[in-house]
Amino acid sequence: MWPFKKVDDALGVVYTHGIAGLLGGLLVGLLADPKMIMYIGLGNTASFSGAGAFYGHPHQLLVQFEAALTIIIWDAIVTAVILYVIKYVFRMKLRLPDEVLEVGDIAVHGEEAYPAEESLSHLSSTAQAEASPTTEEPVSATADD
């Protein structure tokens, strides 16, 4: 996605939590079934229950959107403050030189975001060999020897 082209997100946090979380929150505004959860009030009647747009409460979608927008703005402000503190108070560079970045994720982060298939097949065969039982009989020493 265009806003994340320059973000070094080796673990895919933005896509996993950001986009999937936003989609899930907005879908709650559409699909929230009032019969699923009832918040018990006084006596045996519910004080309120949540209902989405498909159950006659379209305002819930707006509430979910505003909550998501609030979180996005809050996270952006807090992240910017943290980055400015690192850059100006601790005087650390926030970006590595291009020569260092060209060597890859393993050298920079100690991990690879999308490992090559041959390394996965090697790990798979190694794990399989370790998990399979051996066919050799163990040599036992007896008191007669």
Side-chain angles (χ1 to χ4, degrees):
M1 293 181 66
W2 65 267
F4 306 112
K5 294 268 188 211
K6 294 185 177 185
V7 175
D8 186 14
D9 188 12
L11 299 176
V13 174
V14 171
Y15 299 106
T16 304
H17 297 284
I19 295 173
L22 177 63
L23 180 64
L26 292 177
L27 285 175
V28 166
L30 293 173
L31 304 172
D33 186 354
K35 296 177 185 167
M36 291 296 292
I37 298 177
M38 285 194 167
Y39 298 97
I40 304 299
L42 299 173
N44 292 330
T45 60
S47 298
F48 63 93
S49 64
F54 293 155
Y55 292 95
H57 195 251
H59 181 70
Q60 185 63 39
L61 182 61
L62 178 63
V63 170
Q64 294 295 117
F65 176 76
E66 289 172 347
L69 190 62
T70 302
I71 291 170
I72 290 169
I73 292 170
W74 172 257
D75 288 347
I77 291 170
V78 170
T79 301
V81 167
I82 291 170
L83 292 175
Y84 283 127
V85 167
I86 291 171
K87 184 176 183 177
Y88 294 113
V89 174
F90 295 117
R91 303 278 187 207
M92 294 173 63
K93 292 185 179 182
L94 297 176
R95 179 157 172 85
L96 295 171
D98 288 336
E99 300 80 34
V100 174
L101 292 176
E102 287 175 359
V103 298
D105 288 333
I106 292 176
V108 175
H109 302 290
E111 62 190 350
E112 189 171 0
Y114 304 103
E117 288 183 25
E118 57 270 1
S119 65
L120 289 176
S121 64
H122 169 70
L123 292 174
S124 173
S125 63
T126 305
Q128 185 178 14
E130 289 175 358
S132 66
T134 59
T135 57
E136 298 177 14
E137 292 289 325
V139 178
S140 63
T142 61
D144 297 335
D145 291 337

